[in-house]
Amino acid sequence: MCLILAGIHCYLGLHVVERGIIFVDLALAQIAALGTVIALLLLMGHDMHDRMAQVLSLALTVVGAGLFAVVRMREDEIPQEALIGIAHAV
């Protein structure tokens, strides 16, 4: 399993570097943390490791990745790396 995981990460890492979206992992990590915070606010008094917190965190991460993919297809004056940086900061 470790060899398969290392191979997948190498392959995806090469695509990230080729496209110049190096900080996408940081932005997606912040979006996942936002999902966890929202889940904690909705589930007041529950554990941070509750299933709902994990599901909401994963859902927001998938939505964020989808938005980054859609933004990549548009031809704008703002580069994709700048939008990723803005998402990370927000």
Side-chain angles (χ1 to χ4, degrees):
M1 187 64 177
C2 289
L3 292 175
I4 293 171
L5 199 58
I8 291 170
H9 284 172
C10 289
Y11 176 75
L12 294 175
L14 289 174
H15 284 285
V16 165
V17 171
E18 272 181 12
R19 293 182 181 155
I21 52 172
I22 297 168
F23 298 111
V24 73
D25 59 335
L26 297 173
L28 288 176
Q30 292 297 325
I31 292 170
L34 177 65
T36 302
V37 168
I38 291 171
L40 289 176
L41 291 174
L42 293 175
L43 302 171
M44 292 296 249
H46 289 274
D47 186 24
M48 180 173 58
H49 303 290
D50 193 314
R51 170 98 42 207
M52 185 62 178
Q54 293 175 359
V55 168
L56 191 56
S57 179
L58 179 63
L60 248 59
T61 304
V62 169
V63 168
L67 288 175
F68 289 151
V70 169
V71 168
R72 185 176 81 88
M73 294 177 194
R74 295 180 33 200
E75 293 294 328
D76 283 338
E77 295 176 4
I78 303 172
Q80 185 181 14
E81 188 69 17
L83 294 173
I84 292 170
I86 291 168
H88 174 68
V90 169

